[in-house]
Structure formats: structure tokens, C-alpha cells
Amino acid sequence: MLNNEINVLRAKKKWTQQQLADQIGVSRQTIAAMEKNKYNPSLILAFKVANALDIPITDVFNYKEDNK
């Protein structure tokens, strides 16, 4: 499962979902879905998020095996 800290990191920059979306060229709904772990971004989009937040990608996203 891919987890992220987008909402926490975005809040530290005092950005709205819309502001982050505008920075990386996606809709606000895409940001909301990523923050709720309902949408896994492509690798390129993940890098865009990390670059916009000025944080290493590994500090934004982390992956854990889904052990069922």
C-alpha cells in the first residue's frame, strides 16, 4: 500500500489543495484523492508533488506490502 504525508507537508507550507494542484498541473480533486489514499499517482506525478513541496520523494510517499 502506498501511503503519503501530502496533507501534513502541504499544511506546513500553508497551501490549500488547490494551490498544490495548480503547482503540479492537476485538479484539486486529484490532490484530495491522493491525500485520502484513494488514488496512487504515477511515478512522474509523485515526483512533481515532492518537487513542489521541496521535499525528497521518500519523505512524501512510502510503500508497505499489503499482507493479507
Side-chain angles (χ1 to χ4, degrees):
M1 173 175 237
L2 187 65
N3 296 309
N4 69 73
E5 298 293 323
I6 297 171
N7 60 334
V8 173
L9 298 167
R10 180 178 55 75
K12 284 183 181 179
K13 285 188 127 358
K14 297 184 172 133
W15 283 358
T16 64
Q17 289 177 339
Q18 187 63 57
Q19 287 171 311
L20 177 56
D22 291 344
Q23 287 284 320
I24 61 174
V26 299
S27 69
R28 185 202 58 79
Q29 291 84 354
T30 298
I31 301 300
M34 283 193 289
E35 288 184 353
K36 294 177 185 175
N37 290 318
K38 293 186 177 195
Y39 174 72
N40 288 329
S42 68
L43 187 55
I44 291 172
L45 183 55
F47 272 106
K48 285 182 178 184
V49 170
N51 288 343
L53 295 170
D54 201 28
I55 304 263
I57 194 169
T58 54
D59 290 350
V60 180
F61 296 94
N62 60 70
Y63 174 77
K64 282 191 175 184
E65 286 288 330
D66 190 14
N67 297 324
K68 291 184 179 182

